[in-house]
Amino acid sequence: MINRLEILRDFIAEEPQDPFNHYALATELLKTDKQEAKTIFEYLVKNHADYLATYYHLGALYVELGENDLALATYEEGIELAQKIGNEKALKELKGAYQMFLDELEDL
């Protein structure tokens, strides 16, 4: 039986320019391989900078990995992009995650 990761990797092989395929694989990898997920999310930010959903997950992953400067920058870039394209829902989610992270930094 083919597992979900294999299916997602096949999707990337078939359509490597579709950012959703990379995003789907990265979010699935968050369960088992955070470093590979990070690599894919970073690829998305570099090569598909307008794929807004990436910023929330990459920011959260940086927080989890203790990469605070990268988390701050990623949340800020995502907030800027959400404002630019007028995505209010993503903007609210990113601002909430960003503020929660700032609050956690103050508690350290």
Side-chain angles (χ1 to χ4, degrees):
M1 176 178 247
I2 297 176
N3 71 29
R4 186 166 170 80
L5 291 175
E6 290 175 34
I7 292 169
L8 294 170
R9 289 182 200 284
D10 287 345
F11 288 161
I12 290 172
E14 292 170 12
E15 293 182 86
Q17 293 306 314
D18 184 347
F20 177 76
N21 292 333
H22 297 274
Y23 174 81
L25 177 60
T27 55
E28 187 67 23
L29 283 166
L30 286 172
K31 302 172 191 172
T32 59
D33 189 341
K34 294 188 187 311
Q35 288 302 317
E36 186 178 357
K38 176 182 158 185
T39 298
I40 296 168
F41 283 135
E42 289 172 340
Y43 161 84
L44 283 167
V45 168
K46 182 178 179 185
N47 296 288
H48 299 279
D50 60 341
Y51 200 78
L52 184 56
T54 304
Y55 294 87
Y56 180 90
H57 290 287
L58 181 57
L61 182 55
Y62 282 145
V63 170
E64 189 176 334
L65 297 174
E67 298 180 35
N68 294 343
D69 291 341
L70 291 172
L72 284 171
T74 300
Y75 282 138
E76 290 167 356
E77 289 171 22
I79 288 167
E80 185 178 318
L81 177 60
Q83 289 172 329
K84 179 180 171 185
I85 64 174
N87 187 323
E88 293 299 319
K89 182 175 187 261
L91 179 61
K92 183 178 178 181
E93 291 172 355
L94 283 161
K95 281 185 171 182
Y98 181 67
Q99 188 59 55
M100 195 162 64
F101 176 58
L102 292 176
D103 292 345
E104 288 175 17
L105 284 179
E106 286 181 12
D107 293 341
L108 295 178

